[in-house]
Amino acid sequence: MSRMIEPLAVGRVIGEVVDSFTPSVKLNVTYNLNKTVCNGHELMPGLITTKPRVDIGGEDMRSAYTLIMTDPDVPGPSDPYLREHLHWIVTDIPGTTDASFGREIVSYETPKPVIGIHRYVFLLFKQKTRNAVSPPASRDRFNTRSFSQEHGLGLPVAAVYFNAQRENAARRR
């Protein structure tokens, strides 16, 4: 198992959200210009109120990518019966740019975890053609696997996730 995949497997992103894949594109997610998302690290909800800067690699600007941000732990991680909740979709992102160059089809929704520690997952898919991805009917009960299949996206080419919990939640010591 590669070093990039291992934290995704340990964090159960692989298995619960997507199937195992081989990362092939660079993905950097940064909040407030200085808070880089690292697999499994915690970010405070107060720091993630505005959409992040998402830089992607890829071969060239002719390639198009779709970015999905989802929370698989709704309403809480011990009983995520509403899994998944969709927070953001940007499509038609040219390779070697950032998500601001793409087409936002589902606007960014600020994470607001209420119960327990939630995982917020960013998944990057390579599109076969531009304008091939349409918005889902609802943010609730979103399913990344089904959405990917419906739009011919296949497996992700990159992923990263962070954890967050309610600001005034009791912290472990």
Side-chain angles (χ1 to χ4, degrees):
M1 196 179 294
S2 79
R3 287 183 166 192
M4 294 173 80
I5 287 291
E6 189 173 345
L8 296 171
V10 170
R12 299 179 331 275
V13 170
I14 291 177
E16 291 181 6
V17 181
V18 293
D19 295 324
S20 188
F21 68 96
T22 302
S24 59
V25 174
K26 196 174 188 180
L27 173 65
N28 290 317
V29 180
T30 309
Y31 280 95
N32 299 328
L33 303 176
N34 64 352
K35 295 290 182 193
T36 300
V37 173
C38 296
N39 284 322
H41 289 209
E42 184 173 3
L43 294 177
M44 302 300 285
L47 297 173
I48 53 179
T49 57
T50 58
K51 62 180 143 184
R53 178 179 171 92
V54 179
D55 294 302
I56 62 171
E59 302 87 40
D60 58 48
M61 291 184 71
R62 292 174 296 206
S63 300
Y65 295 89
T66 292
L67 176 76
I68 296 173
M69 179 187 179
T70 183
D71 174 359
D73 299 316
V74 178
S78 62
D79 186 18
Y81 65 89
L82 296 174
R83 171 180 296 158
E84 303 164 39
H85 183 78
L86 178 64
H87 281 270
W88 196 26
I89 298 181
V90 183
T91 67
D92 300 328
I93 306 167
T96 71
T97 65
D98 67 82
S100 68
F101 289 94
R103 186 170 59 99
E104 188 177 66
I105 63 169
V106 176
S107 62
Y108 181 78
E109 182 181 276
T110 301
K112 294 179 181 134
V114 177
I115 303 167
I117 299 170
H118 288 241
R119 296 166 292 165
Y120 294 92
V121 184
F122 292 90
L123 299 145
L124 188 68
F125 295 88
K126 186 171 183 179
Q127 296 172 217
K128 290 178 178 48
T129 61
R130 291 188 186 272
N131 299 312
V133 180
S134 57
S138 172
R139 290 180 186 263
D140 297 322
R141 298 182 194 263
F142 181 76
N143 185 297
T144 300
R145 280 186 185 95
S146 296
F147 186 82
S148 170
Q149 288 172 353
E150 288 169 21
H151 292 88
L153 298 172
L155 292 171
V157 294
V160 66
Y161 80 100
F162 68 91
N163 295 321
Q165 62 183 311
R166 204 173 74 225
E167 293 268 359
N168 57 0
R171 301 270 182 232
R172 290 186 181 161
R173 293 182 184 232

